[in-house]
Amino acid sequence: MSSGLSWTEDKERLAEILSREEYAHQQGEQGSWLNQLLEPLFRALSRMFELGELPSGTASTVSTIILVLFVMGLLLFLYWLSRRIVREQRIRQPFLAKGEKIRTYTDYLQEARERGHKKEWREGERSLFLALLVYLQKRAWIRVEPWKTNWEYAEEIQLNQPWAVDLFRSHARIFEQVWYGQGAVSEGQFWDRLKHLEMFCREEGLDG
């Protein structure tokens, strides 16, 4: 009988030990491979530079910081890489021919209409996008440069006329899909975009 009580007491005591906060903390530290990797390194550095005994949670804190910095660095790298890919695409397939003289936005709108009638959709989308870029430059919202990406144009518009960013991104997205990605063009949507852009320019009251 006494042995049964002893076994029960031991089990309860073990459960109490396992539930203690310091034990759970130690288990969490042991469960992290990064902590296990960093802890001996910090101990060695501490002895080398006579820093004294480091707190037991040092590896856990530093490992969290390292992980956060790694994720931030990865996101920045992916952002930089995506911009570089787009820039290289623009170099390989420039939508402005070398030495091409930029005309008025009304010229490009007329050219887009002519391209549409000939069912030259890819060239028509180029004319539409150039019309928008030249118009935005005439309003002094951007400065057109052959080397600029659409992200850079969007940033300029955001600074000068934030309400026009959505319009620009909508046209830029379609243009990139068609010009760089060889995406299909919907005839109906092409004419809708042309009419919408003509109306936008007319409503702003700026001559070509």
Side-chain angles (χ1 to χ4, degrees), residues 176-190:
E176 288 182 348
Q177 290 172 355
V178 174
W179 189 256
Y180 299 115
Q182 306 298 318
V185 179
S186 166
E187 181 175 351
Q189 291 178 355
F190 172 84

Side-chain angles (χ1 to χ4, degrees), residues 137-155:
Q137 176 171 259
K138 194 170 182 66
R139 296 304 303 260
W141 298 348
I142 63 170
R143 181 175 178 80
V144 176
E145 300 287 356
W147 49 265
K148 282 184 181 178
T149 66
N150 290 335
W151 280 314
E152 289 167 319
Y153 286 131
E155 288 172 356

Side-chain angles (χ1 to χ4, degrees), residues 160-178:
N160 297 307
Q161 213 63 229
W163 64 269
V165 171
D166 289 341
L167 171 71
F168 172 79
R169 284 178 174 165
S170 174
H171 281 269
R173 183 174 61 254
I174 299 297
F175 168 74
E176 288 182 348
Q177 290 172 355
V178 174

Side-chain angles (χ1 to χ4, degrees), residues 17-152:
I17 292 173
L18 292 176
S19 65
R20 290 178 182 173
E21 183 178 349
E22 60 268 25
Y23 183 84
H25 179 69
Q26 291 173 0
Q27 286 294 98
E29 288 187 351
Q30 291 174 358
S32 169
W33 63 269
L34 189 56
N35 292 349
Q36 293 178 22
L37 181 66
L38 293 175
E39 193 74 47
L41 175 63
F42 292 139
R43 299 300 174 192
L45 290 173
S46 175
R47 290 192 296 271
M48 184 183 300
F49 295 102
E50 300 180 352
L51 297 176
E53 187 66 21
L54 293 175
S56 59
T58 300
S60 178
T61 302
V62 174
S63 64
T64 300
I65 294 173
I66 290 175
L67 285 174
V68 171
L69 292 176
F70 173 76
V71 171
M72 291 176 63
L74 180 61
L75 292 175
L76 287 173
F77 172 74
L78 292 175
Y79 176 71
W80 170 83
L81 182 62
S82 63
R83 294 187 68 153
R84 181 173 179 178
I85 290 173
V86 171
R87 192 181 292 275
E88 289 178 351
Q89 285 181 325
R90 293 175 70 92
I91 293 173
R92 289 195 300 268
Q93 293 180 284
F95 69 94
L96 277 174
K98 187 175 181 180
E100 179 180 357
K101 183 179 179 181
I102 296 179
R103 291 169 281 157
T104 67
Y105 73 88
T106 52
D107 287 338
Y108 286 119
L109 287 173
Q110 179 60 33
E111 182 179 80
R113 182 173 294 279
E114 293 171 358
R115 295 287 191 179
H117 287 311
K118 295 177 182 178
K119 299 189 182 301
E120 297 173 347
W121 307 118
R122 187 169 183 265
E123 291 75 12
E125 289 292 347
R126 173 186 181 271
S127 300
L128 272 182
F129 190 61
L130 280 171
L132 178 60
L133 288 179
V134 173
Y135 176 81
L136 295 176
Q137 176 171 259
K138 194 170 182 66
R139 296 304 303 260
W141 298 348
I142 63 170
R143 181 175 178 80
V144 176
E145 300 287 356
W147 49 265
K148 282 184 181 178
T149 66
N150 290 335
W151 280 314
E152 289 167 319

